[in-house]
Amino acid sequence: MNQSVHTGKAPAAIGPYSQAIQTGSLLFVSGQLPIDPATGAFAGEDIAAQTRQSLTNIRSILEEAGCSCADVVKTTVLLADIADFGAMNEVYAEFFTEPFPARAAFAVKSLPKGALVEIEAVASK
């Protein structure tokens, strides 16, 4: 049975989707934009600040579901500019330790609201 996960510590969904869905031992966290849930605005204008906020949002959702970053098995990182890969990667390494989750990272033409990054995650309890 699928169960929706929601926390006020991450931005509300901006469309017809859940922050995360728990199904069995897997938690699928929707792509998180770098929106600060307290202000509704981007956490900053550079890739480091935006990556940190996207990952903070993911961590908040994970915690609501009883998980942590250590439970993440796969992430997908969408970048508005692949040149931001190195700076994103530095912040990403602050949230995950070995064994690191599997990951795909690629550039897209644009992201919602003009974000520089969006990150989704899959965790296993």
Side-chain angles (χ1 to χ4, degrees):
M1 178 179 225
N2 297 343
Q3 181 178 358
S4 178
V5 175
H6 174 78
T7 178
K9 294 180 181 178
I14 58 174
Y17 61 90
S18 298
Q19 286 178 333
I21 290 288
Q22 177 85 46
T23 183
S25 65
L26 294 177
L27 179 70
F28 295 86
V29 180
S30 293
Q32 293 299 301
L33 293 172
I35 297 171
D36 180 335
T39 66
F42 287 154
E45 295 184 18
D46 64 25
I47 190 64
Q50 290 197 15
T51 299
R52 188 168 285 105
Q53 186 64 53
S54 289
L55 290 169
T56 297
N57 293 342
I58 287 172
R59 182 172 56 202
S60 294
I61 296 166
L62 291 168
E63 289 171 354
E64 182 68 23
C67 295
S68 72
C69 288
D71 297 311
V72 174
V73 296
K74 170 74 168 73
T75 63
T76 304
V77 179
L78 308 175
L79 297 165
D81 186 344
I82 200 67
D84 288 335
F85 181 83
M88 174 280 298
N89 213 36
E90 286 181 28
V91 175
Y92 184 95
E94 297 172 13
F95 286 78
F96 298 104
T97 58
E98 291 189 40
F100 298 110
R103 180 179 79 184
F106 48 93
V108 296
K109 183 175 180 182
S110 62
L111 290 165
K113 298 188 172 227
L116 300 178
V117 64
E118 180 175 356
I119 305 172
E120 66 176 16
V122 178
S124 178
K125 286 178 128 181

